[in-house]
Amino acid sequence: MLTELTDLIKGYLPEADFSILEKAYNFAKTAHAGQSRASGEDFFSHCVEVAKILASIKLDIPTLSAALLHDILEDTTVTEAELKKEFGDEIASMVEGVTKIGSYHFSDPEEAHAENWRKMLLAVTKDIRVILIKLADRIHNLKTIKYLPAEKQKDIASESLNLYAPFAQRLGIYKWKNEIEDLSFEVLEPEEYKILFEKISISKENNAQNIDLWKKLITEKLEGSGINFRLSARPKNLYGIYKKMQRQNKSFEEIQDVIGLRLITDSVANCYGLLGLINTYFSPIPGSFTDYVSLPKMNMYQSLHTSIIGPGNITAEIQIRTEEMHRRAEYGIAAHWRYKEKGEIQQTGSQVTEDVENKLNWLRQVLEWQQDLKDSKEFLATFKAECEFEQVFVFTPKGKVIKLPSGATPIDFAYAIHSDIGDHCFGAKVGNKIVPLNYELKSGEICEILVKKSVKPTEHWLEMAITANARSKIRKYLREEQK
Ligand code: MN
C-alpha cells in the first residue's frame, strides 16, 4: 500500500524525500492496529486512501503525511505532544487542525453542520491544507458510505452536496467538486442516479462516433494553422447533467447529443487564434460565446466557451484554454503553489500571486462575516450563496467590472464598490432606467448607484442583499446604530 502511494507522488515529485512520509505511514499503521471501519476494512486503509486522494491533486509530502495521521488524535491514544515530537510543528498542527474541525454532536444536524463549517473556515487562517485534508476525508467517507445507517447516509450526502461540493468549486478544484456531487447524488436519489448512469453509458457508445467525427473535422481545419493544440473529449459529471435536465426542463434524450470538446494550447493569444479559426470554419451558435479568459470566474477559472453546429446538426460545446488554465481548473487552489519544507509558500507559474491572494482574500472575508452570523441557518445559507458558482458581471458607469453571485441586487453591487456607497444608496439606474433596490442584476448591465447622505441601512435591506459582504456591513451598521 505504501508503494502505491509513493508511486503516485513520484509522478509529480520525482525527487521527493519520502522518509517522513514512511515514518508517518508506519506510525499511523501501528497506532490504528486492530481498528476497523464500518465496512469491516482495516481502519488504516482509510488513512492511506485519503492521502491518495490528496496525491491526485499533487499535494506536498507534509500534507500527505498529515493525511496518514489525520485520525490519530481522535481515534487512538497518541497525544498532540507525541505527534509534535515525532513529526515537527508543521505536520502536527495540520493534524490538530483536522481534529479540531472534528465531528460535533448536536441533536440538530443543521446546527452541527454550521459549527463544523465555522471551525473549518477558522482553520483556513492557519493553513489551507487543513481544509484540503478535510475535503479528501469527506470524499473517501462518501465512497464507503453504504455501510452506514440510511439516515446518516442521507445527512452526510446532503451536507456534501450542499456545502462541500460548492466549496470545492469555489476553491476551483473541479475534479473534487464533480466527484463529491456524483457520490452524493447516488445516495440522495438512487433511482435517478441508476437510470441516468445507464443512459449515459449507452449514449457514450453512441456518441463515440460523433466525437471522432468532430475531432477529425476540427483537427483537419486547425492543423495547418501553425498553432499548437491538443483536442480531447470532455467528461461530464452525472449530477451536472441531472441539474441541466431540471433547469432546462428537458429529457436526457434532448440534451445528451451535445458533445463536449476541449482545446488546450500554449498561450492566451493562441486561445483567441483557435477561437477565430473555429468561428471561421464552423457555425457558432449565437449567444453561446463566453470569454472567461479576460473575465475569469470568481474562483479564477479561465477558458473561452463557445458552441458550434456541425454536420447532421450535431452541437459541440467547445472550451479553449492554455495548459496553465487547465491545470488550475483541475486542481484549483492546490495548483498554485507548493509548500517548501519549512512551510513557506513557494509559488509557481505566472499570475499566481494574484490568484492565491484572490482566493485567500475571499476566505478571509468569509471568516470576517461568519463572526456576525450567530444563527446557524442564516450562516449556512449565506455561506452557500457565497460559494455560488453562477455569477453575473455588472459594470459601473466608469466601466469597471463587478463580479457578483447570480441573484445579486443593486445593494450588493453598491457594497461591492464601497461600504460608504452601500450605506447611503437609495436607488439604482440600470441602462438609464430607475430600478428598485431588490432588482436582480444581469450580466452586461451598467448599474449606477444613487446615493443620498441622509439614507441609512434598515432591517429590510437584509431581505434584499444576498452577498455576505453586503449583509455583514448592513448588520454592522445596524448594530452600531443600536449602541
Ligand atoms: Mn477520517
Side-chain angles (χ1 to χ4, degrees):
M1 286 217 294
L2 177 62
T3 47
E4 266 175 56
L5 180 60
T6 50
D7 283 349
L8 269 176
I9 305 166
K10 278 177 193 157
Y12 61 94
L13 291 174
E15 310 282 305
D17 173 4
F18 291 111
S19 54
I20 194 93
L21 185 93
E22 278 165 22
K23 186 176 172 186
Y25 183 95
N26 293 320
F27 190 88
K29 192 174 181 182
T30 310
H32 287 294
Q35 297 176 350
S36 54
R37 301 259 295 169
S39 61
E41 255 185 311
D42 189 19
F43 187 92
F44 179 62
S45 68
H46 162 69
C47 310
V48 179
E49 290 307 317
V50 172
K52 280 196 202 159
I53 292 168
L54 289 156
S56 79
I57 64 162
K58 307 188 178 179
L59 279 160
D60 57 7
I61 301 280
T63 314
L64 301 176
S65 307
L68 290 169
L69 298 162
H70 82 273
D71 276 323
I72 218 164
L73 294 176
E74 204 177 320
D75 297 330
T76 79
T77 54
V78 173
T79 64
E80 289 180 14
E82 269 176 88
L83 218 51
K84 213 168 257 173
K85 196 176 128 251
E86 295 290 331
F87 298 98
D89 278 349
E90 186 191 5
I91 293 175
S93 72
M94 274 192 264
V95 178
E96 279 169 40
V98 176
T99 311
K100 274 198 197 121
I101 296 169
S103 46
Y104 267 80
H105 304 289
F106 286 91
S107 49
D108 177 12
E110 196 155 11
E111 216 168 297
H113 293 165
E115 272 325 300
N116 282 330
W117 279 95
R118 279 181 208 271
K119 296 265 175 184
M120 192 114 131
L121 299 171
L122 278 168
V124 171
T125 45
K126 291 198 180 144
D127 193 334
I128 190 160
R129 294 175 296 177
V130 169
I131 279 189
L132 299 175
I133 296 174
K134 202 64 201 169
L135 282 167
D137 183 39
R138 175 55 60 104
I139 292 174
H140 187 250
N141 286 337
L142 282 169
K143 282 184 175 170
T144 50
I145 201 169
K146 63 171 186 257
Y147 302 100
L148 297 180
E151 201 180 317
K152 189 121 205 253
Q153 286 189 28
K154 297 266 185 216
D155 179 39
I156 292 174
S158 87
E159 188 199 17
S160 303
L161 189 65
N162 288 317
L163 294 163
Y164 278 83
F167 189 59
Q169 179 162 271
R170 194 61 173 75
L171 296 177
I173 315 171
Y174 283 82
K175 203 181 162 73
W176 283 6
K177 171 237 158 207
N178 290 342
E179 204 166 354
I180 295 170
E181 280 185 351
D182 283 355
L183 287 164
S184 318
F185 178 41
E186 187 177 1
V187 175
L188 294 170
E189 304 283 351
E191 288 301 310
E192 305 271 10
Y193 179 89
K194 217 177 126 208
I195 295 168
L196 211 53
F197 185 85
E198 277 159 18
K199 283 186 173 176
I200 284 172
S201 317
I202 296 167
S203 92
K204 248 187 211 155
E205 281 169 33
N206 295 344
N207 269 344
Q209 226 181 343
N210 288 331
I211 290 175
D212 286 344
L213 177 67
W214 266 115
K215 278 188 174 173
K216 194 170 150 269
L217 282 171
I218 293 177
T219 308
E220 268 171 18
K221 298 293 184 198
L222 302 191
E223 239 168 13
S225 68
I227 297 178
N228 276 328
F229 69 90
R230 59 190 173 93
L231 175 62
S232 57
R234 184 153 49 90
K236 290 182 175 176
N237 75 319
L238 233 69
Y239 184 66
I241 293 173
Y242 177 69
K243 264 202 314 206
K244 193 171 182 181
M245 282 162 56
Q246 290 198 316
R247 204 170 48 230
Q248 303 183 353
N249 200 14
K250 283 185 177 162
S251 68
F252 177 76
E253 286 68 26
E254 285 172 284
I255 60 165
Q256 59 93 35
D257 53 348
V258 177
I259 285 166
L261 295 172
R262 186 175 287 147
L263 278 164
I264 300 175
T265 183
D266 44 21
S267 70
V268 171
N270 282 342
C271 289
Y272 290 100
L274 289 174
L275 174 75
L277 290 168
I278 292 279
N279 284 343
T280 308
Y281 293 114
F282 303 96
S283 311
I285 298 177
S288 70
F289 174 64
T290 317
D291 184 347
Y292 291 117
V293 170
S294 55
L295 285 176
K297 289 189 184 181
M298 277 188 282
N299 61 11
M300 299 316 289
Y301 171 89
Q302 286 183 296
S303 275
L304 300 174
H305 288 190
T306 190
S307 296
I308 51 178
I309 299 185
N313 272 335
I314 297 165
T315 306
E317 286 173 356
I318 301 186
Q319 296 175 343
I320 307 171
R321 51 171 77 154
T322 63
E323 293 284 356
E324 169 75 20
M325 292 170 193
H326 182 55
R327 210 163 53 87
R328 226 184 294 141
E330 294 272 291
Y331 306 134
I333 196 160
H336 297 299
W337 75 88
R338 298 256 154 80
Y339 277 82
K340 281 200 281 195
E341 269 128 64
K342 285 171 195 134
E344 211 179 304
I345 294 174
Q346 183 195 357
Q347 301 184 328
T348 55
S350 58
Q351 217 194 338
V352 164
T353 320
E354 206 196 325
D355 282 3
V356 174
E357 272 312 302
N358 266 322
K359 286 204 184 93
L360 292 181
N361 274 340
W362 172 69
L363 288 163
R364 284 187 199 112
Q365 233 182 19
V366 168
L367 261 177
E368 233 170 73
W369 57 254
Q370 70 92 24
Q371 290 160 351
D372 292 337
L373 300 172
K374 298 278 179 280
D375 177 68
S376 308
K377 279 201 173 88
E378 166 145 19
F379 167 69
L380 286 182
T382 317
F383 179 64
K384 205 170 168 276
E386 271 301 306
C387 287
E388 191 48 67
F389 160 71
E390 294 301 329
Q391 57 189 302
V392 291
F393 300 98
V394 183
F395 296 86
T396 67
K398 283 183 182 158
K400 194 180 167 213
V401 185
I402 307 281
K403 287 181 218 177
L404 294 164
S406 91
T409 62
I411 297 194
D412 296 303
F413 183 80
Y415 276 104
I417 300 172
H418 198 281
S419 52
D420 254 356
I421 297 183
D423 282 344
H424 302 294
C425 69
F426 71 94
K429 263 188 190 171
V430 169
N432 286 327
K433 256 204 217 135
I434 302 272
V435 296
L437 284 177
N438 63 358
Y439 174 79
E440 198 174 301
L441 292 162
K442 287 168 214 69
S443 259
E445 287 181 337
I446 301 170
C447 181
E448 185 186 348
I449 297 296
L450 309 170
V451 288
K452 212 189 271 169
K453 265 278 154 255
S454 59
V455 171
K456 282 185 246 166
T458 65
E459 282 282 336
H460 178 53
W461 286 21
L462 290 170
E463 288 160 32
M464 300 188 282
I466 71 156
T467 54
N469 177 42
R471 296 176 67 85
S472 77
K473 283 176 183 156
I474 296 167
R475 275 181 198 286
K476 196 170 157 219
Y477 191 98
L478 294 173
R479 237 190 350 254
E480 271 162 21
E481 202 186 36
Q482 258 181 1
K483 280 183 204 158

